[in-house]
Amino acid sequence: MDTSAQLPPTGPPSSDGNASRIKRANQACLNCRKRKSRCLLDVDGTVPCLRCKRDNLECILGGSNRGGRRVRKNALDPQILPSPNAYPQEDAGFHGLGNVGTVSPWTHTGAQERTAIEGNQQRLSRDGQLPSSSSSSAPDDIPFPNLQNPSDALGILARVAETSTGEHETSANGQRASHPAPMAQPGGGNQSQQISYRLLELGILTIPKICQLIMRYQQHYHPYYPLATPKIFETSRLAEMAQNEVHLLTAILLISSKDLVEEPQVYESCSEYMKTLVSNLAAGGDADVEAVEALLLLAEWAPYTQRASGKVGRGEEDKESWMHVGLALRIAYFLGLDKYSFRVIDDGKDSQHNRKRLVWTASYISDRQISIRIGKAFWSRGPGPLTTLRREDYPSLLPQSPNEEDYASIFQATLELTQLFSNVHDVLYSNPGSSFRSHLSGGYIKFIDDFRSAIYGWKSVWGTLTCSPQLKATLLMSYDYLRLYTNAFAFQATVRRALPPPATSTSNPNSTPQNPAPLPNHAIQAPSRVFYNNVASVGDA
């Protein structure tokens, strides 16, 4: 603060009479306010003040900034428009605009700006793109409420750009605009003209044929892997499915036609179209939950390998399944389905909450089972053992009548069995080095005993499950395979310990590691006898 400006330039007053004639102004003049110093007036309180009188300046009292809400010039809220009295009037005074109450140039356009802002907010609220001012306090109504990466921020900017230009198209979040779709009937005549589906437009398939393939899939394939959403089987919604569930619909048609050897053209057309859709997904095309479902169905049934080679059941289809599961998991992670590994509370805002949980759990199961079959590493974190998902968490699989299959219980049993598979793999088959050391040390026995108890515990719970004989047989086959997968580790360890250690001859100095000298017959050790009389005599019996 400039302390020299507190008193007249002649110094401090020398008598009490001069001090009584000095009075501090209630409102500082513009010059003193600019210098941030006290404004001293005569006893009668008239201008000019002592500083302005000394410097021969024009003395103008400024207005008060106290009271009310002060709005900054760089306010971010467009709903709060500036008022004439909200800003200091220093600049106005120096330009000869007068004292308090000077009209600001902003007041001429304030009404127009306010009207435009209110109109934009009403339009955005009506279109459902951005929340209105009345609901702006709710963070859940704003797209991407939790920013975690630059992609989320770019998504918000893209949404704002679409809103400002009047484009209300589908965004990358999987939200689709609902349009009334024409109903498709199984026996419709020219209904294909109203359904936008490539195989219909090319004349390869007809609506009755599509409905026949869908019902065939529902009868012969869906019970063994009930992942597809139930609405896909409603033929009256065929137009809606062809528009919003094109990947899932095509995958169902492909799987249903793979065994129709008398109609090879149907399979070939569905196969080519499905490969085109999958290629677009791999190239970064738009994908939603239905695309993940389609890829998981392809991984489960492997429709390409069977028709190409005619051989299945010996691992020929594992590569195809592995590739489809990998792409499905990448899309699922991109869509944020991994958060459904935990018990996310359904607040009713996500209409596909239960569907996403089912799809992510199915991704975890497929990844574990296929990875174990081909001996590859896992990609999915999945619902951990502490999640404790139950049949009630998958309402679409619950039976609607007493005569329907309880797919929810079968799915829960498969999930718990898959978690046991995963634990056995992580402990016993995590990597070749640790498996070899465990074979030689014998420390695996206590783990196998614990796994055997856990497997028997699963059998005591789910062994009495009431379902159709075919589904019960597939469930028990997985159970027996898990027992074989666990006990095979002990069998392999017993055989490995019985093999003789590798021996090399050092009698020939000309031999090299790349070209070792042959061993004499008497130096070759025969493997020790593994099973003397029976398996019960072995230490790992």
Side-chain angles (χ1 to χ4, degrees):
M1 179 180 292
D2 189 2
T3 56
S4 63
Q6 298 179 3
L7 295 175
T10 56
S14 58
S15 62
D16 296 339
N18 293 334
S20 62
R21 294 177 57 220
I22 299 175
K23 179 181 179 182
R24 182 175 181 180
N26 294 330
Q27 297 179 356
C29 68
L30 299 181
N31 295 324
C32 294
R33 180 178 293 177
K34 185 176 181 180
R35 298 177 62 90
K36 296 183 180 180
S37 60
R38 288 194 301 174
C39 188
L40 303 177
L41 304 177
D42 288 337
V43 67
D44 53 357
T46 59
V47 294
C49 66
L50 298 182
R51 174 175 295 280
C52 293
K53 186 176 180 180
R54 182 194 66 183
D55 298 337
N56 294 325
L57 299 175
E58 182 181 5
C59 187
I60 300 176
L61 293 180
S64 176
N65 290 327
R66 296 182 179 180
R69 179 182 177 184
R70 296 183 61 188
V71 182
R72 302 293 182 184
K73 292 183 180 180
N74 58 347
L76 298 178
D77 193 351
Q79 303 179 22
I80 304 175
L81 297 179
S83 61
N85 301 330
Y87 297 96
Q89 301 294 330
E90 296 92 331
D91 296 337
F94 287 112
H95 288 83
L97 295 179
N99 202 348
V100 180
T102 302
V103 179
S104 172
W106 288 11
T107 59
H108 297 289
T109 60
Q112 299 176 0
E113 293 180 356
R114 184 181 296 107
T115 304
I117 291 174
E118 292 177 354
N120 292 334
Q121 291 175 348
Q122 293 176 0
R123 182 171 62 256
L124 296 179
S125 177
R126 180 176 61 253
D127 295 338
Q129 297 295 328
L130 289 177
S132 61
S133 58
S134 60
S135 62
S136 60
S137 59
D140 295 338
D141 296 335
I142 303 176
F144 302 101
N146 299 321
L147 293 178
Q148 296 182 349
N149 49 63
S151 179
D152 293 346
L154 292 177
I156 293 180
L157 296 179
R159 176 67 63 84
V160 174
E162 292 176 0
T163 303
S164 61
T165 56
E167 299 175 358
H168 306 293
E169 299 177 351
T170 304
S171 65
N173 293 336
Q175 299 176 351
R176 300 179 180 269
S178 59
H179 302 284
M183 296 300 180
Q185 301 297 334
N190 57 356
Q191 292 265 342
S192 59
Q193 302 296 332
Q194 304 177 12
I195 300 179
S196 177
Y197 188 61
R198 179 178 175 181
L199 298 181
L200 284 176
E201 295 172 351
L202 296 177
I204 300 174
L205 295 179
T206 61
I207 291 182
K209 187 62 178 179
I210 292 179
C211 296
Q212 178 186 355
L213 292 175
I214 291 177
M215 290 185 292
R216 186 175 188 275
Y217 177 88
Q218 184 181 13
Q219 179 181 1
H220 296 288
Y221 299 93
H222 182 71
Y224 299 96
Y225 196 62
L227 179 62
T229 178
K231 64 181 181 180
I232 198 69
F233 303 116
E234 301 177 13
T235 56
S236 60
R237 307 178 66 174
L238 181 58
E240 178 186 351
M241 296 298 102
Q243 180 181 1
N244 301 331
E245 312 270 348
V246 60
H247 300 89
L248 179 59
L249 176 61
T250 307
I252 289 177
L253 298 179
L254 173 61
I255 296 170
S256 182
S257 63
K258 72 184 183 69
D259 296 324
L260 298 178
V261 294
E262 68 278 2
E263 297 179 277
Q265 73 281 358
V266 177
Y267 167 79
E268 293 174 359
S269 301
C270 295
S271 176
E272 293 299 326
Y273 188 36
M274 190 73 244
K275 290 179 180 178
T276 302
L277 295 176
V278 174
S279 299
N280 293 334
L281 293 176
D286 294 336
D288 205 348
V289 183
E290 56 90 20
V292 182
E293 289 180 347
L295 292 170
L296 293 178
L297 293 181
L298 296 177
E300 179 68 20
W301 297 108
Y304 302 123
T305 306
Q306 177 181 359
R307 292 297 291 261
S309 62
K311 299 178 181 179
V312 292
R314 293 179 297 178
E316 294 84 359
E317 69 278 7
D318 289 338
K319 179 181 178 182
E320 176 185 344
S321 301
W322 169 260
M323 301 302 292
H324 282 127
V325 167
L327 183 56
L329 285 174
R330 285 188 174 274
I331 297 176
Y333 275 120
F334 185 81
L335 296 177
L337 301 186
D338 53 323
K339 68 179 181 180
Y340 294 93
S341 301
F342 311 97
R343 289 189 174 275
V344 181
I345 300 177
D346 183 12
D347 53 2
K349 296 182 179 180
D350 188 358
S351 60
Q352 294 186 330
H353 180 273
N354 295 324
R355 184 181 183 182
K356 292 178 179 178
R357 173 181 291 171
L358 175 62
V359 169
W360 178 252
T361 310
S363 302
Y364 164 80
I365 294 176
S366 296
D367 175 59
R368 289 298 194 271
Q369 292 181 349
I370 296 174
S371 300
I372 288 175
R373 289 206 308 262
I374 64 178
K376 300 296 183 180
F378 302 144
W379 285 99
S380 169
R381 292 191 294 269
L386 300 180
T387 306
T388 62
L389 295 175
R390 294 292 180 260
R391 62 187 296 273
E392 293 79 10
D393 296 317
Y394 310 102
S396 62
L397 301 181
L398 294 174
Q400 303 299 324
S401 64
N403 297 327
E404 293 185 3
E405 292 284 359
D406 189 2
Y407 295 122
S409 297
I410 298 176
F411 192 78
Q412 180 184 346
T414 305
L415 174 61
E416 295 182 2
L417 197 64
T418 305
Q419 290 175 340
L420 288 175
F421 265 110
S422 179
N423 294 338
V424 172
H425 176 274
D426 293 339
V427 174
L428 300 180
Y429 298 97
S430 57
N431 60 77
S434 61
S435 298
F436 179 78
R437 290 190 296 270
S438 183
H439 284 165
L440 299 181
S441 64
Y444 58 87
I445 297 179
K446 57 179 180 297
F447 298 116
I448 292 182
D449 291 339
D450 293 339
F451 285 135
R452 184 181 295 111
S453 300
I455 294 172
Y456 288 157
W458 181 94
K459 177 67 178 300
S460 63
V461 174
W462 300 107
T464 58
L465 179 64
T466 302
C467 59
S468 62
Q470 296 86 351
L471 299 181
K472 188 66 171 293
T474 57
L475 198 61
L476 293 181
M477 286 172 61
S478 299
Y479 161 76
D480 291 331
Y481 182 78
L482 176 59
R483 294 175 57 200
L484 177 63
Y485 184 66
T486 304
N487 296 322
F489 190 87
F491 183 85
Q492 182 183 8
T494 302
V495 174
R496 172 167 288 178
R497 287 195 300 267
L499 294 177
T504 58
S505 175
T506 58
S507 58
N508 189 356
N510 296 326
S511 62
T512 60
Q514 291 78 11
N515 189 17
L519 295 175
N521 294 332
H522 63 83
I524 300 177
Q525 298 182 8
S528 59
R529 190 172 183 181
V530 180
F531 306 109
Y532 294 91
N533 295 321
N534 50 37
V535 180
S537 61
V538 183
D540 294 338

